[in-house]
Amino acid sequence: MACTSTRRSPELPLPAIASPAIAELQAQLAALQHENHKLRRINDALIERVESGVTRGNDPYAAFQHSVVLAEQVRERTDALNQAMAELKAGNHLLGEARLRAETAHRHLIDAIESISDAFVLFDEQQRIVLFNSRFKAFWAHSRVRIIAGMRLAEVKRLMTANGLFSEETRGQPDEPVLYRLQNGRWLQVSERPTQEGGRVILFTDITDVKLSETVRREQAVAQKSHLLQRAVDNLSQGVAMVNAQGVLELWNRRFLELSGLAPVAAHRPFNEVIADSELQLLTPASRDGNGRLIQECEQRLSDGRVLEIRTHPLPTGGYVNTFTDITERYQHAEALSESERWIRLITDHVPALIAYLNADLVYEFTNKVYEQWYCWPRGVMLGQSLREAHSEQHYQRLEAYVARALAGESVTFEFAETNINNQERYMLRSYVPNRLANGEVVGIFVLIRDITERRRTAEALHQAYQNLEHRVQERTAELTTLNDQLLREIDERSRVELRLREAKREAERANLSKTKFLAAVSHDLLQPLNAARLFTSALLERREPVANAQLVRNVSNSLQDVENLLGTLVDISKLDAGVIKADVAPFALSELLDNLAAEYCQVARSEGLELRFVPCSVLVRSDIQLLARILRNLLSNAIRYTPKGRVVLGCRRRGSRVSIEVWDSGIGIAQDRLEEIFQEFKRGDVQRPDQDRGLGLGLAIVEKIAGILGHRIQVRSWPGRGSVFAVEVPLSATAPKPLPCLEMSEPMLERLRGARVWVLDNDAAICAGMRTLLEGWGCRVVTALSEQDLARQVDGYRADADLLIADYHLDHDQNGVDAVARINACRPSPIPALMITANYSNELKQQIRERGHTLMHKPVRPMKLKIAMSHLLGQATSG
């Protein structure tokens, strides 16, 4: 049997190669040789017996016949033996080729591990050394230990410790690499991984340069964080003062000095000494009122008339932070409202008529002074009592039918005889006017009662005089006619008042319907896909892509950010009429707005087969950049919508102290008699591109409302069949805008996100996909779920380890995220910090989430704010 041999490395033994098929062939060959040998011996014995002639009768013939059979068997066995020899020869050839390939692969393996820049060592399933490279052997160059194949892993680790190769060890999680610090000051990272056969592979990586770079980066991050913190505090509208556990003032801003009237303060002064130099009172977490209760906030009126709100917030390190807010304007508004309420009460109290208001449960919510005096009730006692409780049962039964008609939505006026405090019978004219909501529901009744006793008595006196004094008919008739004319005029006046009331009511209903449709256009369903798109584009921006793609994604992200600002403005438009939202007027370069709009709408116009021409302008103006952008967006969108072909032009004209921003189009134009109508809500052009969405008809109505808030004048000129021009005049600014601060994430904040275990609960699959893409780009380990049941299935019934839970407030089947978080934390030994995301801006929801201790973010989610909020929550969990 042929075999080959190859020179092997003394440190890397090659295991023997055995083939089960070849061994079986060898065993069969040996058995055939043994049986052939036996047949030969039998044949030789028979031939010898025949030749000796000692047989009798027919024995020679039988022996000969038997020998022939034996010869045939010998031939068959010989053929089988020859075939086995041939198969054995072929097997030996294959065995040689296999051994050659194994030795070649072994040599390639040796070359591969020698080319690794790290130290490498391989152990088999008995934890004995099989392979190692020269870099691993170099670790022992200065020791008397000789590393050879076959040494156990435990022995190697013992020798490493005994020979003092490593002076310091740093361990992380069980599956994470172990860091060692060498005696010469260098650092090694040791990574262990199991093999499929049960052995282990160990890599030793020199990370000294990485550690030094990390130290320098951490020091730079701390310095930058301190600088950014001071800049952020200086830009707060509130005064801020941070005091350490020893009572020393460590951090403050300029606003604190302005509100307190202090000159620049030296660092590291006791806070009580600093406050003593001002009018402000000292408030700490330990401050108490006259009843011994802790005080966390108070209001203080200064000598110059300003009112400050002072709050104190304890810090985990033992110090505290005080905030100082100027609430003078809010205080004045509250006083004005109180004064207005006092005047309304004063007016109604001096009206001779009885005025009251009953809610749908017939409970008094308002009564004037005359009403309470008529029914002999002390001041304010009737409020909160039902109609049945405030009057006798007989009185209530007389009024019950009229009250039922008013609650059914009918205005009722009737005469009613009553006895006053002096037991005098008086005739009262009662009017019940239902208070309806926009949907027609009656939620209360306005009650107006007037004393018409004198009128009744006059009529009765006229009737009696007519019967008894017939000769004075003419005189009494004239008087009666005069009174009748007065009554007719009064009835006519009442009719006109009722007509005006009905018209005002219809106008209010139209306004409510307009608001309802308006808010429906920017509801939660519109914010959901926008939020998902914002998450996807933010994730794309943070990936390392070619420059061209990055610029394209950045343009998309800028457009989405503009859409976010647009939707935020649309949501707030409904509050403009109430005066809740005010314009944030500030100077800015007009090119910042127009360049972005031109770049965005150039693509929109091109997609519609139009040309957008833009004339740049670099003047400084004073306006609210967000609201002005909304005006120009609506004008550009309308121009593209109603221009079948041709071009749209965006440019400016200088007009004295103002600049006119104009949008020209070559569209269908507007008739002269419709120039005023187009600014009404839900009014749309009759002719436009057939493939376009008609919209809600709110664009120009919103333009007019925003222009009224900003104090800008809107002008429009149009030529039917030739085009239109819309212009908005904006005042110029003599002062340059303040540069916006650049906010960046510090390295420690990013470190908290890497490896963080985050659960995301949202009933929108696109939001889940966007969240996963964005958070995994930050290094988080993310689990997304569309429901509580889906999340429980993925995380072992909420028992898996987690660092943060992000939940949407609106879930399927009338569920909400606040209750879902409570149920999830109830199933865990310790609660998970929760971040609640919603498009609901109500104060009730904010208060509810604040009471639960969760963090609230509104949609659409800005990635930078999300990253900061997550890092803050993860930092709190780590410090806690």
Side-chain angles (χ1 to χ4, degrees):
M1 181 173 60
C3 63
T4 58
S5 62
T6 305
R7 183 181 178 186
R8 306 169 187 170
S9 171
E11 300 170 355
L12 307 171
L14 179 65
I17 301 177
S19 174
I22 295 175
E24 183 179 357
L25 289 175
Q26 291 175 344
Q28 292 178 358
L29 178 62
L32 291 173
Q33 288 176 343
H34 178 67
E35 188 172 355
N36 187 45
H37 179 67
K38 288 173 61 179
L39 292 174
R40 286 182 182 277
R41 289 180 62 187
I42 294 172
N43 187 39
D44 292 341
L46 291 174
I47 293 173
E48 183 180 358
R49 185 177 180 181
V50 171
E51 290 178 350
S52 65
V54 295
T55 58
R56 296 185 300 274
N58 59 351
D59 287 344
Y61 178 79
F64 176 76
Q65 186 178 11
H66 184 64
S67 65
V68 171
V69 174
L70 291 176
E72 182 64 23
Q73 292 179 351
V74 169
R75 186 184 62 79
E76 291 177 355
R77 297 298 173 87
T78 302
D79 291 342
L81 180 62
N82 290 334
Q83 183 179 0
M85 290 294 291
E87 291 178 356
L88 180 62
K89 184 177 180 181
N92 286 336
H93 179 69
L94 294 175
L95 180 63
E97 291 181 351
R99 182 182 295 277
L100 181 60
R101 286 196 297 269
E103 290 182 349
T104 302
H106 185 69
R107 172 50 55 190
H108 289 167
L109 175 62
I110 295 174
D111 294 340
I113 65 174
E114 283 295 333
S115 64
I116 298 175
S117 61
D118 302 331
F120 172 90
V121 60
L122 173 64
F123 294 86
D124 60 12
E125 60 270 15
Q126 283 80 32
Q127 305 300 309
R128 296 180 181 275
I129 293 181
V130 178
L131 295 174
F132 57 87
N133 61 2
S134 58
R135 289 176 177 79
F136 178 74
K137 189 175 181 181
F139 281 144
W140 312 90
H142 300 291
S143 65
R144 291 180 294 178
V145 178
R146 183 169 178 269
I147 300 299
I148 60 175
M151 292 184 67
R152 291 188 176 275
L153 175 60
E155 179 65 15
V156 173
K157 289 187 176 181
R158 186 188 64 79
L159 292 175
M160 291 169 66
T161 305
N163 286 271
L165 292 180
F166 301 144
S167 61
E168 184 178 345
E169 177 180 351
T170 303
R171 288 187 176 270
Q173 298 296 329
D175 294 334
E176 293 182 355
V178 182
L179 302 182
Y180 291 95
R181 184 181 182 188
L182 305 185
Q183 291 181 345
N184 57 6
R186 303 191 69 81
W187 286 86
L188 282 182
Q189 175 180 289
V190 180
S191 303
E192 294 188 25
R193 293 290 184 273
T195 64
Q196 293 182 352
E197 294 79 11
R200 298 193 72 81
V201 174
I202 303 179
L203 287 176
F204 299 80
T205 307
D206 189 334
I207 60 169
T208 304
D209 294 339
V210 176
K211 292 288 287 186
L212 293 176
S213 175
E214 182 181 350
T215 302
V216 172
R217 188 168 60 252
R218 186 181 298 110
E219 292 175 353
Q220 292 175 349
V222 170
Q224 185 180 15
K225 181 179 179 182
S226 300
H227 178 66
L228 289 176
L229 177 61
Q230 185 62 53
R231 290 184 61 186
V233 170
D234 284 340
N235 284 278
L236 292 177
S237 61
Q238 294 178 317
V240 177
M242 186 176 74
V243 183
N244 62 18
Q246 289 74 37
V248 175
L249 181 62
E250 286 193 345
L251 178 68
W252 66 95
N253 61 358
R254 292 190 297 269
R255 185 59 174 164
F256 166 70
L257 300 179
E258 293 172 359
L259 295 176
S260 61
L262 294 172
V265 180
H268 307 299
R269 283 188 60 191
F271 186 59
N272 55 357
E273 294 181 3
V274 174
I275 288 295
D277 296 337
S278 70
E279 293 184 62
L280 303 181
Q281 69 180 71
L282 180 62
L283 185 64
T284 69
S287 298
R288 297 179 180 273
D289 59 10
N291 297 324
R293 292 174 297 186
L294 291 174
I295 307 175
Q296 294 185 344
E297 61 179 69
C298 66
E299 295 181 0
Q300 181 181 0
R301 181 184 290 274
L302 303 182
S303 59
D304 57 1
R306 292 181 300 160
V307 179
L308 299 185
E309 181 184 62
I310 305 174
R311 294 175 178 264
T312 181
H313 312 272
L315 296 176
T317 56
Y320 60 92
V321 174
N322 277 7
T323 58
F324 304 85
T325 308
D326 189 342
I327 61 170
T328 305
E329 186 175 354
R330 186 175 70 192
Y331 196 82
Q332 291 173 349
H333 287 334
E335 289 183 341
L337 288 175
S338 177
E339 182 67 15
S340 176
E341 181 181 357
R342 189 181 69 83
W343 275 106
I344 292 174
R345 171 65 67 177
L346 180 63
I347 293 172
T348 56
D349 285 347
H350 287 81
V351 171
L354 283 69
I355 302 174
Y357 179 77
L358 297 167
N359 62 20
D361 297 326
L362 300 182
V363 175
Y364 281 103
E365 292 188 354
F366 176 82
T367 56
N368 67 347
K369 183 177 179 181
V370 179
Y371 197 98
E372 293 171 341
Q373 289 177 348
W374 177 264
Y375 290 108
C376 304
W377 281 94
R379 188 64 168 159
V381 176
M382 292 189 73
L383 301 181
Q385 296 194 48
S386 67
L387 184 64
R388 186 187 294 271
E389 294 171 347
H391 303 285
S392 64
E393 184 66 25
Q394 180 183 4
H395 184 86
Y396 175 78
Q397 291 178 356
R398 293 175 62 193
L399 297 176
E400 187 174 12
Y402 301 105
V403 171
R405 290 167 58 188
L407 289 176
E410 179 184 354
S411 295
V412 183
T413 300
F414 59 97
E415 294 184 4
F416 193 83
E418 295 186 49
T419 303
N420 65 6
I421 190 174
N422 299 321
N423 292 323
Q424 297 174 346
E425 186 178 43
R426 309 292 291 182
Y427 291 94
M428 313 299 288
L429 182 64
R430 286 178 170 264
S431 296
Y432 290 165
V433 179
N435 180 22
R436 290 190 182 91
L437 296 180
N439 58 5
E441 179 186 0
V442 177
V443 296
I445 304 172
F446 295 101
V447 180
L448 178 63
I449 306 174
R450 288 164 290 175
D451 189 345
I452 60 170
T453 305
E454 299 303 328
R455 188 191 308 173
R456 283 286 300 268
R457 288 177 178 175
T458 300
E460 291 175 358
L462 287 174
H463 181 67
Q464 185 178 4
Y466 176 78
Q467 291 180 344
N468 300 330
L469 302 173
E470 198 172 271
H471 62 278
R472 298 183 59 186
V473 170
Q474 296 293 334
E475 181 182 356
R476 294 300 184 186
T477 301
E479 293 178 359
L480 183 59
T481 302
T482 302
L483 290 175
N484 192 34
D485 291 339
Q486 292 177 357
L487 287 174
L488 290 175
R489 286 194 297 271
E490 182 179 348
I491 293 172
D492 183 63
E493 179 65 24
R494 184 188 304 171
S495 299
R496 287 195 296 270
V497 170
E498 290 180 355
L499 181 61
R500 288 195 296 270
L501 287 175
R502 285 194 294 270
E503 184 63 26
K505 180 181 176 182
R506 286 194 295 269
E507 185 66 23
E509 290 175 350
R510 286 195 297 269
N512 286 334
L513 179 61
S514 171
K515 297 298 182 184
T516 301
K517 292 183 178 179
F518 175 77
L519 292 176
V522 291
S523 63
H524 176 267
D525 292 335
L526 182 59
L527 289 175
Q528 282 289 86
L530 173 63
N531 189 31
R534 193 72 176 91
L535 295 174
F536 279 123
T537 54
S538 299
L540 287 173
L541 273 178
E542 297 187 5
R543 291 184 176 178
R544 301 181 179 274
E545 299 291 341
V547 175
N549 291 343
Q551 182 62 37
L552 177 59
V553 173
R554 186 172 291 104
N555 289 338
V556 174
S557 179
N558 290 337
S559 298
L560 284 177
Q561 184 174 1
D562 292 341
V563 174
E564 291 175 10
N565 297 332
L566 162 64
L567 289 179
T569 303
L570 286 175
V571 172
D572 292 338
I573 286 297
S574 62
K575 304 177 183 178
L576 289 174
D577 293 337
V580 177
I581 295 179
K582 296 184 179 179
D584 184 14
V585 178
F588 64 91
L590 193 56
S591 59
E592 296 177 8
L593 175 60
L594 297 185
D595 292 349
N596 290 335
L597 291 177
E600 178 181 350
Y601 279 87
C602 182
Q603 301 294 333
V604 177
R606 188 178 296 115
S607 67
E608 299 294 339
L610 304 175
E611 177 187 5
L612 175 66
R613 293 186 181 180
F614 168 55
V615 181
C617 181
S618 59
V619 299
L620 299 178
V621 297
R622 283 187 57 82
S623 183
D624 186 315
I625 189 170
Q626 301 295 339
L627 297 180
L628 182 59
R630 177 62 179 131
I631 292 177
L632 296 178
R633 285 179 183 280
N634 279 355
L635 297 181
L636 287 169
S637 298
N638 274 9
I640 294 174
R641 181 185 299 273
Y642 294 100
T643 302
K645 61 181 180 178
R647 65 179 182 270
V648 176
V649 179
L650 172 63
C652 302
R653 294 179 187 271
R654 188 83 173 259
R655 299 185 185 279
S657 62
R658 310 178 75 84
V659 61
S660 176
I661 308 173
E662 300 180 354
V663 177
W664 293 72
D665 66 71
S666 58
I668 61 177
I670 307 167
Q672 190 67 27
D673 58 348
R674 297 196 61 189
L675 289 180
E676 294 294 332
E677 179 184 339
I678 60 175
F679 289 96
Q680 298 178 11
E681 295 178 341
F682 308 107
K683 293 295 184 180
R684 296 169 291 197
D686 295 329
V687 181
Q688 62 183 70
R689 303 173 66 91
D691 56 341
Q692 284 185 336
D693 179 24
R694 285 180 57 83
L696 294 174
L698 291 172
L700 293 180
I702 293 174
V703 165
E704 187 177 51
K705 289 183 179 181
I706 298 177
I709 294 298
L710 296 176
H712 300 343
R713 187 172 64 167
I714 300 294
Q715 292 181 324
V716 57
R717 290 175 291 162
S718 185
W719 302 268
R722 297 171 54 193
S724 307
V725 55
F726 287 82
V728 54
E729 291 188 358
V730 183
L732 297 172
S733 174
T735 59
K738 296 181 179 179
L740 296 176
C742 180
L743 299 177
E744 297 180 358
M745 287 287 291
S746 63
E747 190 66 23
M749 297 176 73
L750 292 175
E751 288 293 339
R752 296 172 189 164
L753 298 179
R754 295 191 183 104
R757 295 159 296 192
V758 182
W759 296 352
V760 178
L761 178 60
D762 198 300
N763 62 340
D764 193 311
I767 295 294
C768 289
M771 275 292 189
R772 176 183 292 278
T773 304
L774 181 64
L775 299 184
E776 288 181 349
W778 295 343
C780 300
R781 291 179 284 177
V782 185
V783 176
T784 61
L786 299 175
S787 64
E788 293 181 55
Q789 294 76 16
D790 185 18
L791 180 61
R793 177 181 55 79
Q794 299 184 61
V795 296
D796 190 21
Y798 310 129
R799 291 187 294 272
D801 293 335
D803 301 315
L804 181 62
L805 172 59
I806 301 177
D808 188 16
Y809 180 73
H810 294 283
L811 301 176
D812 291 336
H813 309 299
D814 295 329
Q815 301 293 321
N816 64 73
V818 175
D819 296 337
V821 171
R823 287 190 290 270
I824 291 173
N825 283 334
C827 300
R828 296 179 53 83
S830 59
I832 313 175
L835 176 62
M836 199 67 56
I837 298 179
T838 180
N840 189 338
Y841 287 77
S842 67
N843 292 328
E844 293 78 5
L845 179 59
K846 291 180 182 178
Q847 183 64 26
Q848 181 185 7
I849 294 178
R850 187 181 299 113
E851 291 174 353
R852 298 291 182 93
H854 306 324
T855 300
L856 175 64
M857 291 192 70
H858 288 106
K859 294 181 181 180
V861 175
R862 296 181 183 273
M864 178 59 68
K865 293 180 64 178
L866 176 62
K867 187 180 295 185
I868 293 174
M870 290 177 60
S871 178
H872 178 69
L873 288 175
L874 292 172
Q876 284 184 336
T878 302
S879 61

